[in-house]
Amino acid sequence: IVHPTISMGCYMDKGDDLVFDEPPLFYQGVDERTGEMLTKISDEVMELKRNLEERYPTLNLSGILHLRDILLRYYFDDLEDKTNIYTMLKTSHAHRGLKHPMKQVDTPDGKKYVPDFSYRYFAEDLPCGMIVIRGIAELAGVATPNMDKVIEWCQNAMGKEFLVDGKIMGRDLHITRCPQTFGYTDLDTFMKVNHYLD
């Protein structure tokens, strides 16, 4: 959820003007709004986890953590300010200096940079990450309005279609790993056939 959400936070207010003099900082460039969006999406993932554990008591999802807890667990000593996700990303020594993936382009004003929407932050993190979570949430009946906003923005930027009218059913579903790609339409069948309950 991290890379697509941070990317949207950086680019969404710029409209079509996505030309930069230098690639912006990725984690240190996060604003409070993006930190709040990451928190809300993590909350949605944790609600999905709660829902699945309640339905399937033998299912062990202990490895699924809120982003806040992931940062605290794995980067505790690198974080100057542990107040919230925004401050943790902004002050993380482990993520210092990392920049948005961009392509260099020639313009009348010299060399500039534009977002690389073919980079793995989009090409992998969306179809093999967020779309999978979103697909499972749809089967479970768990609403993900904040995740949907990020998916819709990213798919438009990529020229792809995964989410249509609030449903996982876009023309590019075949490149994803979500349950719907493999024909699953109900949660129980998905869980049993894939041996998640064994």
Side-chain angles (χ1 to χ4, degrees):
I1 66 172
V2 175
H3 297 141
T5 306
I6 290 177
S7 298
M8 184 187 86
C10 178
Y11 303 138
M12 67 181 294
D13 291 336
K14 296 188 176 298
D16 294 329
D17 183 24
L18 294 178
V19 180
F20 296 79
D21 291 333
E22 294 291 334
L25 289 169
F26 196 79
Y27 298 99
Q28 290 170 282
V30 167
D31 59 16
E32 288 187 62
R33 178 184 64 180
T34 303
E36 289 171 10
M37 180 63 89
L38 284 165
T39 300
K40 289 175 182 176
I41 294 173
S42 287
D43 290 344
E44 291 171 355
V45 172
M46 298 314 292
E47 175 57 22
L48 175 58
K49 174 185 175 180
R50 186 202 64 73
N51 181 288
L52 293 173
E53 288 177 332
E54 187 175 282
R55 286 185 190 209
Y56 309 108
T58 61
L59 188 63
N60 181 4
L61 297 178
S62 60
I64 298 176
L65 303 174
H66 197 283
L67 178 57
R68 173 192 60 247
D69 300 320
I70 291 171
L71 291 169
L72 290 170
R73 176 179 286 190
Y74 296 107
Y75 300 103
F76 189 86
D77 293 334
D78 293 309
L79 307 172
E80 288 181 24
D81 186 340
K82 301 174 180 73
T83 305
N84 54 44
I85 289 174
Y86 160 69
T87 62
M88 285 190 266
L89 291 174
K90 198 85 171 163
T91 66
S92 171
H93 292 284
H95 302 95
R96 185 153 289 166
L98 297 174
K99 297 183 178 182
H100 281 264
M102 304 199 108
K103 296 186 281 193
Q104 193 176 68
V105 294
D106 291 317
T107 74
D109 297 322
K111 294 201 181 297
K112 301 286 184 178
Y113 295 86
V114 297
D116 184 357
F117 293 120
S118 67
Y119 194 71
R120 66 180 177 86
Y121 287 9
F122 298 93
E124 295 175 14
D125 288 11
L126 212 63
C128 300
M130 282 188 106
I131 300 298
V132 177
I133 297 167
R134 176 58 176 75
I136 296 169
E138 187 170 307
L139 294 182
V142 174
T144 56
N146 296 288
M147 188 181 299
D148 288 5
K149 288 177 188 172
V150 175
I151 291 171
E152 287 167 355
W153 187 90
C154 288
Q155 70 182 14
N156 289 336
M158 296 167 69
K160 301 290 185 187
E161 183 184 79
F162 309 115
L163 190 64
V164 178
D165 297 326
K167 297 286 185 191
I168 292 287
M169 57 185 225
R171 69 175 182 270
D172 296 300
L173 219 54
H174 65 281
I175 68 169
T176 78
R177 305 296 294 167
C178 71
Q180 290 79 355
T181 299
F182 305 98
Y184 293 108
T185 56
D186 74 278
L187 187 61
D188 286 340
T189 302
F190 170 70
M191 298 298 286
K192 288 173 186 170
V193 170
N194 290 286
H195 305 284
Y196 294 128
L197 304 178
D198 293 352

